[in-house]
Amino acid sequence: MNSALGFAFSVLGLSASVFGALGGVYALVRRTPHLLTTIRQWAGLVIIAAVGCFVVMEVALFQRDYTVKFVQLVGSDATPPLFNFAALWSALEGSIILWTFILAGYVGAYLWKFRKQITDPLHGWTLVVLLTICAFFFALMVGPSNPFTEVAVPANFVGQGPNPLLQNHVLVAFHPPMLYLGFVGFSVPFAFAIAALITGRVGEGWLVETRRWTVAAWAFLTLGIVLGAWWSYEVLGWGGYWAWDPVENASLLPWLTGTAYLHSVMVQERRGMLRVWNLSLLCSTFALTILGTFLSRSGVVDSVHAFSEGGVGPWMLAFFAVVSAVSVGLIAWRGDRLRSPGAIDSPLSREASFLANNVIFGALAFVVLLGTVFPLLAEAYDDTRLTIGRPYFDSMARPIAFVMLFLMAAAPVLPWRKASGELLSERLFWPAVIGVGSMFVAIVLGARGFYPMLTFGLGGFAAGAALRQVALATRRQGWRGFVGRTNGGMIVHLGVVLLAVGVASSEAYKTDRTATLLPGQSMEVAGHTFTYDSFAGDETSARIKIWANVRIDGDEVYTPAQTRYTQRGMIVPTPSVKPGFTEDLFLVLDDAPRNGDVTAPIRLRVVVRPMITWLWAGGALMGFGSLLAIFPGRRRRGTEPVSAAVTTAAERDPVPA
Amino acid sequence: MSDATTTAKSSKRSLSAQLGLWIALAVAAVSMLSIATFDDRGPETTEERIQRLSDSFACPECDGQSVSESNAAVAATIRALIRDRVAEGMSDTEIRDELIRGYSSDVLLNPPSEGISALVWILPVVFVVFGVGGWIAAVRRTGGGTRTATDDDRQLVADALDGGHDTPDGGRDDAS
């Protein structure tokens, strides 16, 4: 029943998106606006189909309907409701359902926002592109990764449940949907960009329309990545939060190009420059979300989150190739309309600094992409087996991060066009004092080491520049100055500074010790005493959990645990963390007596990481800043003396496509 | 931002006084960086060396995790081997070579700088050189300096003097 219904919804979705897209193209080419409005009905059907697939799969999971292939794969009688709900995205086929569901949600939001302008060819083409993307994902669900396939149920089947790592922490319910909201969210600005290229309306109009969509997608992606790092820290028990794992890199790549785009787009809005560049950045951001999905979901790279099924790999790669070819082709075709009317006047200007930002984000994206795919290429080329891991990425990303922090300090104070040395000296003075002041405080508190100190200094400098902007905006306009893009952006910058300081201190000043302890014995790490009190256990049908009661500084008891999931026979350590503003104490039970012998020794690993909570706080602040940036800012009167973008002849006399 | 207040402030402080303040800040920054660098914990202890070595080798069975992070049996074996070899007084290169012989070249988390993997180190440098070159070319391109006002510009000014209109979006608020 569920199986047939789910498949019916997939087929409905596929046909509705194909017919909608084809009908839209026909109506647009023939210029028949009344025909174009039917695209709304097709899109409505696509939304119904996507919601249908999602609901049917959740119902099947909750009914433990093991005749559905996917439920047999990730469902189990014993999984608690929250993790059963989240089991939908714990394997490949289900995550495609989630992707399609979110994409349909964006289509719905889009239809609602632009419901009055649907006959405008720009919006028509945007919907055509969005429906084409929907068609691709429904095709995956109908073809190579059909989650609804009906299978026979073995006798006494109770199911394995999702991967134990994915039923161990509540963050599993938030990190993947957040990340997908970000990934999929870039489809809307991408579709707009393609529509602008097709219609030839490549001016600044579509940029202004998509601004908030892009910021929202970026914010979701940021939160998704930070939540992923937090989950990794709280669950995986290796004591870190970012491993430069291929799947982490795949999520970082579109974030980097998206961040570059959010900055350089302001140059185009203001000065009409960098059109080809911005379109390329936006198209690459979307293409990289597809490439990332290919890398992580096709089994070509080894990673803790790679799903092993390989069926969709070639499809994803083909879709990536089509997206890239179409983008490049259209940009080349519209090349004559994309010529910039302006030029950058001075290296000391807002636009030059945004361009520098793009170079540096591009460099980091290049390094991350290279490090991720190079082992594959090398192996294909001459069977060289090599690993590119953390030390490589760390040593490459570090200098780039310092340049980013420096630009975050200098760029926000730069005016458009050009700046004088005097102006810079005046505006950068207090930020520089804050930067030097932070280093002084760090030295007094006993911090040492070149890299952390440079981070504190540049971080203080950047925070000073951001605070200066916030202070000016609010002094002039009161609370109203606090919302809007400029100020929201500065709050995001403050979040980045917190994050950078958190990364630098938690890496440089981390202490990591492992000891074997008998009951009653203690270990000393970084000025704290950890006493192993006693040992306990608890058993349910799904899992056996054992834990050690460890007393920290003779006071509170923490319980690092190990959980053995009976169905999959997998042992998962559950760290116990004592978080704090200045330092986190992270306990992992490395080894425990198997036979329940309470007098046997345990092996306990303790990692002390200073200021790691600053990282999570920084992520939250980045999300908050994005929210402020999405909120409509102060309305600038069109008459205020800013330099308007110079329009080209092509835009003044638009040629209908 | 209002340029009037900025100029008012800068006139209060003379140029040479400003220069002096900046030099003082630079000296303070450099000296604190030097304190941080040279007053560090001193030479690397054996424990730190073992940690650094364990961080630089991949656990052969666990998808790119380092042997220091991994809980797998083979990671524990390699950690113990590193500890033994350090105690025997072997150099970093000797330990590295022994591990490559014992496992394979992909036990190194940092790709070697010879052979095909040298590209991983060279290409980013090439990218940055081209990027910076492109940036310099873009900011030095002339042509923006002496543009004359077009009719559109004049119209804009005329509209402004008439009392003006709101921008349709209202979102161009990236003022500074």
Side-chain angles (χ1 to χ4, degrees), chain B residues 47-62:
Chain B
E47 223 30 65
E48 282 164 355
R49 185 170 162 222
I50 293 171
Q51 181 68 38
R52 176 172 58 77
L53 285 168
S54 321
D55 282 340
S56 68
F57 294 105
C59 154
E61 287 170 4
C62 18

Side-chain angles (χ1 to χ4, degrees), chain B residues 6-83:
Chain B
T6 317
T7 26
K9 262 195 249 162
S10 58
S11 59
K12 267 187 255 161
R13 247 184 261 134
S14 73
L15 258 177
S16 57
Q18 280 190 32
L19 195 66
L21 284 171
W22 277 104
I23 292 173
L25 279 177
V27 169
V30 169
S31 47
M32 276 185 278
L33 274 175
S34 323
I35 295 174
T37 314
F38 299 111
D39 181 37
D40 213 350
R41 283 159 288 185
E44 190 180 37
T45 63
T46 315
E47 223 30 65
E48 282 164 355
R49 185 170 162 222
I50 293 171
Q51 181 68 38
R52 176 172 58 77
L53 285 168
S54 321
D55 282 340
S56 68
F57 294 105
C59 154
E61 287 170 4
C62 18
D63 306 338
Q65 275 192 323
S66 74
V67 295
S68 64
E69 294 155 2
S70 171
N71 214 356
V74 60
T77 315
I78 297 179
R79 277 199 300 265
L81 186 133
I82 293 173
R83 189 169 285 277

Side-chain angles (χ1 to χ4, degrees), chain B residues 20-168:
Chain B
L21 284 171
W22 277 104
I23 292 173
L25 279 177
V27 169
V30 169
S31 47
M32 276 185 278
L33 274 175
S34 323
I35 295 174
T37 314
F38 299 111
D39 181 37
D40 213 350
R41 283 159 288 185
E44 190 180 37
T45 63
T46 315
E47 223 30 65
E48 282 164 355
R49 185 170 162 222
I50 293 171
Q51 181 68 38
R52 176 172 58 77
L53 285 168
S54 321
D55 282 340
S56 68
F57 294 105
C59 154
E61 287 170 4
C62 18
D63 306 338
Q65 275 192 323
S66 74
V67 295
S68 64
E69 294 155 2
S70 171
N71 214 356
V74 60
T77 315
I78 297 179
R79 277 199 300 265
L81 186 133
I82 293 173
R83 189 169 285 277
D84 291 349
R85 294 298 177 267
V86 167
E88 286 163 22
M90 273 166 85
S91 76
D92 289 359
T93 341
E94 284 166 336
I95 296 175
R96 193 188 97 135
D97 292 344
E98 182 181 339
L99 279 170
I100 293 177
R101 272 197 310 279
Y103 296 89
S104 84
S105 61
D106 57 353
V107 78
L108 296 176
L109 275 175
N110 234 344
S113 51
E114 66 263 8
I116 184 173
S117 61
L119 280 178
V120 189
W121 297 101
I122 298 166
L123 288 178
V125 177
V126 173
F127 185 100
V128 168
V129 168
F130 272 90
V132 172
W135 184 81
I136 292 172
V139 300
R140 291 188 60 183
R141 200 173 49 193
T142 51
T146 54
R147 216 170 24 226
T148 49
T150 63
D151 288 347
D152 280 0
D153 294 338
R154 288 180 214 290
Q155 188 59 45
L156 206 66
V157 175
D159 285 351
L161 293 174
D162 280 350
H165 52 84
D166 275 344
T167 49

Side-chain angles (χ1 to χ4, degrees), chain A residues 17 46 111 134 243 302 346 420 439 456 538 556 567-568 596 602 620 628:
Chain A
S17 29
V46 169
L111 275 176
C134 289
D302 297 331
S346 152
S420 67
M439 290 208 274
F456 301 147
D538 168 42
E556 296 142 289
Q567 292 302 324
R568 291 194 185 232
I602 59 161
L628 292 179

Side-chain angles (χ1 to χ4, degrees), chain A residues 350 352 387 389 425 448-449 486, chain B residues 18 36 39 106 109 120 135 173 176:
Chain A
R350 184 73 70 85
T387 312
S425 158
R448 292 295 184 271
T486 318
Chain B
Q18 280 190 32
D39 181 37
D106 57 353
L109 275 175
V120 189
W135 184 81
D173 54 348
S176 73

Side-chain angles (χ1 to χ4, degrees), chain A residues 501-514:
Chain A
V501 169
V503 169
S505 342
S506 69
E507 290 299 323
Y509 308 127
K510 130 183 132 168
T511 321
D512 186 341
R513 294 284 177 271
T514 306

